[in-house]
Amino acid sequence: MQSENQGARVRIAFLDAFSGISGDMTVGALLHLGLPLDRLREAVETLGLRDVEVGAEQVSRSGIAATKFHVRVRGRHPDAAGHTHAHRPYADIRALLGASMLPGHVKETALAIFRRLAEAEGRVHGIEPDAVEFHEVGALDAIVDVVGAALGFAHLGVDEVYAGSLPLGRGRVETAHGPLPVPAPAVVELLCGRPVRVEDGAAELVTPTGAAIVAALAERESAPEMRIDAVGYGAGNRVLPDRPNLLRILLGEPHVPAGADEVVVLEATIDDLAPHIFEHVLERLLAAGARDAFLVPVVMKKSRPGTMLRVLAAPPDRDRLAAIVFAETSTIGLRYTTWSRIVLPREERSVDTPYGPVRVKVAHAPDGTVNVAPEIDDCRRLALERGVALKLVHQAAVAAALARGSGPGV
């Protein structure tokens, strides 16, 4: 195979929710990371929501600078519990987002978040998702929070989102359905299958909107090792007695540590074998499991031109591969030694191209760089079958592998 370093990098965001997560905290952290407030205002305007104003301010929580995101709805009058109880059917929210002028990927992400909410609320109430009417989470500020989160991850170029263990808190919360336990039933439904810390905290720390963001966007597996490029803090409303009320988002690239192994290196220098036989020797060695086998031109004693055969093998395969060399060549001796290697994690898979399927090898460097090596025999066969240049098939295979490996594209 021929290798090609494409320089593509995967960007990841880690939701470090040591004080939980809510929609406004998520948007605040994304603003802190560089999402322009003006761009968020423009996105909100595309929704056609009346009397909605968004703003942000810099605050301090336990001495940590953070961004507090605000959504203000003119003319809204909360009840004694602080809720406006705006009832919005899920179908209406879906139609609102679908008809908006938001960028396609932002719209899809926002719809995915609300779909998770509707499914969770439907399970709690024993109804179909389309019959769900949102209360707190369906209010205008929650819609803006969801759109702001979707826009922020897209603006920052995030490919993959991960979340740490979430503190569930304890107590009760007042809702349109009356007092409910903390965590709210919808939050429990949304976080099924994810690591949580039961009764960590003395208040509601994870809101339904925050839980839906995690459920819709965060990968199920643990976050990989990463190199942090930027940190953003989003502030919540309340002052918590035992921790700063902040969501911390770490932005960076995965750090893939290189592995190490050992190989036995077999060598023989040969000056009396017909050159056309070497092709057969290499094919037999590779088919028998050699890690690699190749030829190096050398000048031997008496200035005779010769060929050095070098075979890389797993230690248990040494004697078996040596027997092939002795059987197929004229050498009467082999040198061998053990080498240590640094190897990158890699996977082999098949990708679809406009010309047909191609096998590729994909390796990940410690700095996040992706190395793609298409199988040249597949590329050559398709080029001949389709009557196109080999390089076009090769380029298509590389592009397909990079696109498939770029994550969910939030």
Side-chain angles (χ1 to χ4, degrees), residues 314-339:
D317 295 335
R318 184 196 66 182
D319 292 345
R320 183 169 56 84
L321 295 177
I324 293 176
V325 175
F326 284 126
E328 296 287 357
T329 74
S330 57
T331 189
I332 58 174
L334 276 173
R335 300 177 295 277
Y336 72 89
T337 186
T338 301
W339 286 2

Side-chain angles (χ1 to χ4, degrees), residues 97-131:
L97 294 172
S100 72
M101 299 300 293
L102 293 169
H105 55 295
V106 174
K107 186 185 302 186
E108 291 173 4
T109 301
L111 286 168
I113 295 171
F114 267 109
R115 182 171 63 251
R116 291 299 186 99
L117 274 170
E119 292 169 350
E121 292 283 357
R123 288 193 294 270
V124 170
H125 300 299
I127 59 178
E128 292 298 317
D130 280 345

Side-chain angles (χ1 to χ4, degrees), residues 13-21 161-168 191 194-197 206 214 218-223 247-250:
F14 178 72
L15 309 179
D16 185 9
F18 51 81
S19 295
I21 183 172
V161 177
Y162 295 87
S165 175
L166 299 176
L168 293 186
L191 299 182
R194 295 181 178 275
V196 297
R197 304 196 300 275
V206 178
V214 171
E219 304 287 342
R220 288 269 178 172
E221 62 266 22
S222 299
L247 170 68
R248 177 165 54 193
I249 297 183
L250 309 179

Side-chain angles (χ1 to χ4, degrees), residues 75-249:
R76 179 170 66 175
H77 302 290
D79 61 17
H83 302 298
T84 60
H85 302 320
H87 293 200
R88 286 180 177 266
Y90 168 54
D92 288 359
I93 295 175
R94 190 172 57 206
L96 172 71
L97 294 172
S100 72
M101 299 300 293
L102 293 169
H105 55 295
V106 174
K107 186 185 302 186
E108 291 173 4
T109 301
L111 286 168
I113 295 171
F114 267 109
R115 182 171 63 251
R116 291 299 186 99
L117 274 170
E119 292 169 350
E121 292 283 357
R123 288 193 294 270
V124 170
H125 300 299
I127 59 178
E128 292 298 317
D130 280 345
V132 168
E133 287 195 355
F134 291 115
H135 302 286
E136 288 78 20
V137 298
L140 294 174
D141 50 357
I143 295 174
V144 173
D145 287 345
V146 169
V147 170
L151 179 68
F153 287 119
H155 175 79
L156 296 170
V158 173
D159 299 300
E160 298 172 357
V161 177
Y162 295 87
S165 175
L166 299 176
L168 293 186
R170 60 182 181 273
R172 292 182 302 176
V173 61
E174 295 297 327
T175 74
H177 300 287
L180 292 176
V182 171
V187 170
V188 176
E189 290 287 340
L190 285 160
L191 299 182
C192 281
R194 295 181 178 275
V196 297
R197 304 196 300 275
V198 179
E199 293 192 336
D200 180 1
E204 182 187 31
L205 299 181
V206 178
T207 68
T209 306
I213 290 171
V214 171
L217 305 186
E219 304 287 342
R220 288 269 178 172
E221 62 266 22
S222 299
E225 292 185 29
M226 66 181 294
R227 184 181 67 251
I228 299 172
D229 295 330
V231 181
Y233 290 90
N237 288 313
R238 293 168 297 174
V239 175
L240 301 177
D242 60 340
R243 69 195 78 190
N245 192 11
L246 298 169
L247 170 68
R248 177 165 54 193
I249 297 183

Side-chain angles (χ1 to χ4, degrees), residues 380-406:
R380 184 182 294 113
R381 174 178 52 79
L382 291 174
L384 293 173
E385 291 176 356
R386 299 303 181 96
V388 298
L390 173 60
K391 68 179 181 181
L392 295 180
V393 182
H394 191 275
Q395 291 167 356
V398 171
L402 291 175
R404 178 176 168 183
S406 61

